[in-house]
């Protein structure tokens, strides 16, 4: 049974580039594509000058350097705003 949380906020699908991630309010969700047939949802926790820290529901926390992230990033993030 779902509990009514009132107005829990809103989610926004935002186009992004790897370069713009450091300016976005993280955490956010995004799909990464490490294999040609598989997209995988992860949480972007932090972005810095060296890369991105993610939380993966399957593999846990991982740091991905920008060179690898750029190859797997699809270009959209799901942001949460709490009102």
């Amino acid at each position: 049974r779902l509990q009514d949380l009132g107005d829990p906020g809103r989610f926004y699908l935002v186009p992004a580039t790897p370069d713009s991630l450091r300016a976005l309010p993280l955490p956010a969700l995004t799909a990464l594509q490490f294999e040609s047939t598989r997209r995988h949802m992860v949480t972007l926790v932090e972005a810095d000058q060296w890369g991105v820290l993610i939380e993966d529901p399957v593999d846990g926390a991982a740091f991905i350097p920008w060179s690898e992230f750029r190859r797997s990033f699809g270009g959209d993030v799901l942001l949460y705003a709490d009102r």
Side-chain angles (χ1 to χ4, degrees), residues 29-78:
L29 297 176
T30 194
L32 299 181
Q33 187 162 355
F34 296 111
E35 302 167 13
S36 63
T37 60
R38 186 180 134 216
R39 293 183 65 94
H40 186 65
M41 291 299 290
V42 299
T43 302
L44 301 172
V45 177
E46 184 178 334
D48 65 20
Q49 62 188 356
W50 297 285
V52 180
L53 177 63
I54 66 165
E55 287 286 343
D56 184 317
V58 175
D59 297 322
F63 180 81
I64 303 175
W66 285 119
S67 59
E68 182 181 342
F69 184 82
R70 288 178 195 285
R71 290 191 301 267
S72 60
F73 180 56
D76 292 314
V77 296
L78 189 61

Side-chain angles (χ1 to χ4, degrees), residues 10-28:
R10 305 268 187 264
F11 287 92
Y12 299 92
L13 187 61
V14 177
T17 65
D19 296 328
S20 70
L21 288 180
R22 293 194 324 185
L24 294 177
L26 299 179

